[in-house]
Amino acid sequence: MNLAHLLQRSARTFGHRPAVFLGERLLHDYATLADRAATLGQALRARHGLQPGDRVGLFMSNHPAVLEILFGCWWAGLAVVPINPKLHAQEAHYILAHSGAALAFVTDDNGPGLAARPPQDSALRAIISVTQDAYASLLSGQALSAPESRGPDDLAWLFYTSGTTGRPKGVMITHRNLMTMVLCYLADVDAARPQDAALYAAPMSHGAGLYGLPLVAVGGRHIVPASGGFDAAEVLHLARHHGNVCMFAAPTIVKRLVDQAEAQGEDGTGLKTIVYGGGPMYVEDIQRALRVMGPRFVQIYGQGEAPMTITALSRAHLMDSAHPQYAERIGSVGVAQTAALVRVTDAEGRDLPLGEVGEVLTRGDAVMAGYWRDPEATSRALRDGWLFTGDMGQLDAHGFLTLRDRSKDLIISGGSNIYPREVEEALLRHPGVAEVSVVGEPDPEWGENVVAFVAPRPGTALSASELDATCQAHIARFKRPKRYVFVEALPKNHYGKVLKTELRERLGAAVRPQP
Ligand code: AMP
């Protein structure tokens, strides 16, 4: 089993179909893309001496070369280590050294930083910028005739966790894991067709890049925005231009896209599917998104350790507003994907009754092989074949999973558990609130106090008392924030996730250790 077969098959079947675009401009058809990948694979093996199983780093902003590098490495039997391009060069070096990467591909924006800090303890032999002649020369010469034979459990993608506590860990994602993800995408997320297009508006080192694979499998198009990142107006323009566009985005990015569509008086024409996930989507926000843009949304829940493949909330469920459980369902992350099993258990791994909140466990062919060179962390996360996700959630009788906050975000005030998300959902009902995040701060009397960071909509003046009235109308009194901090915007990481750790630090609160 080798993921490169997906590209080889599409190139045979759809050789002249358009494959890769930069903005509006077509760069390669499928035959060319496959030839470039096979040629690159040969050069990595013959000229750089890489052997099957060796790792290759990608420290790249979104760029049309990403796809051919991923597939070129797989074609040659190598594993890829895509690194968040917004990381500091030293962090990237840690990952390159830890993974034992022999070679790294970079884009011009972050390459020089990496080159300026040559690592001492790393196996890195070359850093190749994709805009330089050294890269172009790898694409001329002989091509490997067939993808290297790989076992389903062989490493395909080493994914480093964002590491909010301690050093990032390398999640070992195998060929079988990603093949399962591809099939689940087609079964549970979107029935992709050759005329569809993946638009890379989020980092290709993460979910957006992973979700390029199903589009390779069906011979669809791949569009890298000229800006290299997320620009809401550009996304709407490219969607109108290309049509049948599918994209993955974190909820905070979806919100910005919806704002832009509304401001332009558009409904997102040309966007077929917007898959959101990676963080909580609030009910107010998805309802507004559906109002403004219609039936274009699907939610997924996954984590690096089970990439994109734990649950999905389908387009049909999101549109089924007449269903008696609709309100609960759109606040959920949907049902287990086709190849995933999901349970909710207590700390010892015993099943909890339906409706009770516990840790979410998953099992299936999408679950990682373990953490790279970290057997201890692996045995904590994988027990009896089940992945302990660290996420808290509850299941209903129909299989819908609702996530609660991660246990480290739970606030315990006066002995009562308060889930920040519930308070955040209540505050978002106030029309003047653009964004909100709720955290706990230490309190000698109560243990913790609830504090809400609120970003008002531009031009709106908000007072603590009116927000308190909104809370009183929707949630129990003891859950109300004791304090409001008004901010212009919430701090977020490169994937659009709100950084609660930073908010707690702003309060001067010690971050509670992870359980
Ligand atoms: P990462 O491994 O960086 O992709 O982060 C995965 C984590 O993001 C999960 O363990 C969840 O805590 C969170 N997450 C992912 N998808 C969702 C979702 N649809 N809703 C809420 N949280 C999510």
Side-chain angles (χ1 to χ4, degrees), residues 16-41:
H16 297 299
R17 274 192 179 271
V20 182
F21 290 81
L22 178 60
E24 296 180 13
R25 191 158 58 91
L26 176 63
L27 301 182
H28 314 302
D29 62 14
Y30 263 94
T32 313
L33 176 63
D35 186 57
R36 288 169 73 91
T39 309
L40 182 66

Side-chain angles (χ1 to χ4, degrees), residues 159-162 206 251 276-281 299-305 308 310-311 332-333 389-391 403-404 406 421 493 495 497:
F159 172 92
Y160 277 78
T161 57
S162 30
H206 211 86
Y276 63 90
M281 170 65 96
Q299 180 179 201
I300 62 100
Y301 157 53
Q303 58 176 203
E305 290 82 348
M308 317 299 267
I310 304 177
T311 66
S332 80
V333 291
T389 63
D391 289 319
L403 289 185
R404 299 303 203 129
R406 289 180 75 84
R421 176 155 176 188
N493 73 8
Y495 303 120
K497 290 195 199 195

